[in-house]
């Protein structure tokens, strides 16, 4: 069941912001066609996997009603498993009909707060096919920002998108920030050099993060294209 359900692996990061002692666990997960193919049983399995995290960032939520409905159902299932959760869903990205999608965040509300419902970064609209979704989170009044992003496919120049987003981040933020998602290129690609040169690190190093459609002799993982980049103010 899970091989069919989890078409892309999740990645996670434990971190503390500033000098806070409170640890936060974030999971980034590209769930293919989320809202199109996931039934209640599959949503329950997803909830069991992520229930111990604090923030879940999802890519590839379908743009239609089914995507928003699936996010709401997943949040409801998580609420019934012992903690209070909230969620936000982005508007559809400003993309062509066949590649537009939404992003979502689901998080535990006990210690993590928000002051707005986030936004798609319109400044990047002409430079990327699916503009990232930005949401500011607060713990004990201290802010950190998460950009949720799904790049174009590996054979359609995702490098230029990564460079554009990197420039936006470096020119726009001084507070702690995480860039999470499916980049369709390896973290060793030169496109990430601008972030790395400014002290950004990755949650996953030298590990594959996607699942194959067909597995041979127990080899399930495929490409190292999903990751979390985090700024130097964030202590892992």
């Amino acid at each position: 069941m899970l091989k069919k359900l989890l078409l892309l692996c999740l990645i996670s990061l434990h971190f503390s912001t500033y000098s806070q002692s409170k640890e936060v666990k974030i999971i980034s997960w590209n769930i293919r066609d989320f809202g199109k193919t996931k039934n209640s049983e599959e949503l329950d399995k997803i909830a069991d996997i992520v229930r111990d995290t604090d923030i879940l960032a999802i890519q590839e939520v379908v743009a239609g009603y089914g995507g928003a409905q699936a996010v709401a159902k997943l949040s409801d299932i998580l609420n019934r498993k012992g903690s209070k959760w909230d969620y936000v869903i982005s508007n559809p990205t400003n993309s062509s009909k066949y590649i537009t999608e939404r992003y979502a965040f689901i998080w535990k509300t006990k210690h993590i707060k928000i002051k707005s419902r986030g936004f798609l970064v319109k400044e990047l609209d002409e430079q990327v096919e699916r503009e990232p979704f930005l949401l500011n989170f607060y713990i004990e009044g201290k802010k950190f920002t998460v950009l949720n992003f799904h790049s174009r496919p590996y054979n359609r120049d995702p490098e230029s998108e990564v460079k554009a987003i990197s420039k936006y981040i470096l020119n726009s933020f001084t507070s702690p920030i995480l860039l999470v998602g499916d980049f369709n290129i390896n973290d060793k690609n030169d496109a990430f050099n601008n972030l790395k040169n400014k002290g950004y690190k990755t949650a996953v190093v030298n590990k594959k993060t996607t699942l194959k459609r067909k597995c041979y002799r127990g080899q399930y993982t495929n490409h190292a294209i999903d990751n979390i980049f985090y700024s130097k103010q964030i202590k892992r």
Side-chain angles (χ1 to χ4, degrees):
M1 172 63 75
L2 285 183
K3 285 187 288 184
K4 296 179 181 179
L5 169 65
L6 312 182
L7 293 181
L8 288 173
C9 288
L10 56 83
I11 55 176
S12 65
L13 172 69
H14 295 260
F15 68 93
S16 299
T17 59
Y18 303 99
S19 60
Q20 297 169 4
S21 60
K22 189 177 297 299
E23 188 178 69
V24 178
K25 181 178 181 181
I26 183 170
I27 286 178
S28 174
W29 198 349
N30 184 327
I31 308 176
R32 184 173 180 176
D33 292 334
F34 189 61
K36 182 178 180 181
T37 60
K38 306 302 178 284
N39 58 34
S40 295
E41 180 183 1
E42 291 172 321
L43 290 174
D44 192 71
K45 289 182 180 293
I46 292 173
D48 283 337
I49 292 169
V50 304
R51 63 186 298 179
D52 293 327
T53 195
D54 299 294
I55 300 171
L56 170 63
I58 305 175
Q59 302 91 46
E60 209 165 328
V61 179
V62 298
Y65 173 72
Q69 186 181 45
V71 174
K73 285 183 177 179
L74 178 57
S75 179
D76 181 61
I77 292 169
L78 285 165
N79 275 320
R80 289 187 270 115
K81 290 183 180 288
S83 297
K84 177 62 178 176
W85 297 73
D86 198 0
Y87 67 93
V88 296
I89 307 166
S90 76
N91 291 327
T93 56
N94 187 24
S95 315
S96 64
K97 177 180 178 181
Y98 297 105
I99 64 173
T100 188
E101 60 187 58
R102 300 176 188 261
Y103 301 95
F105 287 104
I106 308 177
W107 70 94
K108 288 178 179 172
T109 60
K110 183 175 181 180
H111 300 295
I112 302 173
K113 310 299 180 184
I114 64 170
K115 296 181 180 180
S116 70
R117 306 299 286 182
F119 57 89
L120 292 169
V121 181
K122 297 300 183 183
E123 293 93 323
L124 293 167
D125 187 26
E126 295 185 359
Q127 300 175 69
V128 301
E129 287 189 351
R130 292 178 287 248
E131 62 272 37
F133 183 48
L134 184 152
L135 184 61
N136 294 318
F137 294 95
Y138 296 83
I139 300 179
E140 298 174 351
K142 299 292 183 68
K143 182 179 77 171
F144 63 95
T145 300
V146 184
L147 261 74
N148 195 355
F149 179 61
H150 182 199
S151 80
R152 59 167 67 109
Y154 74 94
N155 58 352
R156 294 179 59 187
D157 191 25
E159 291 87 353
S160 65
E161 295 191 325
V162 168
K163 290 177 182 178
I165 291 176
S166 298
K167 182 178 180 181
Y168 169 77
I169 289 173
L170 295 176
N171 290 340
S172 304
F173 300 93
T174 56
S175 57
I177 185 167
L178 302 97
L179 173 63
V180 311
D182 177 2
F183 303 100
N184 280 310
I185 52 174
N186 192 294
D187 67 283
K188 295 180 180 179
N189 191 290
D190 289 346
F192 293 108
N193 283 351
N194 288 337
L195 289 178
K196 292 179 180 178
N197 291 340
K198 293 297 184 179
Y200 281 73
K201 297 182 179 180
T202 57
V204 179
V205 179
N206 295 324
K207 292 183 180 180
K208 296 177 180 179
T209 58
T210 67
L211 292 182
K212 298 178 180 179
R213 292 179 179 274
K214 295 182 180 181
C215 304
Y216 180 68
R217 292 183 177 178
Q219 297 299 313
Y220 298 102
T221 54
N222 201 2
H223 303 293
I225 57 176
D226 307 89
N227 220 317
I228 298 174
F229 288 79
Y230 57 98
S231 62
K232 58 187 177 181
Q233 302 100 320
I234 293 173
K235 310 301 179 183
R236 190 169 181 181

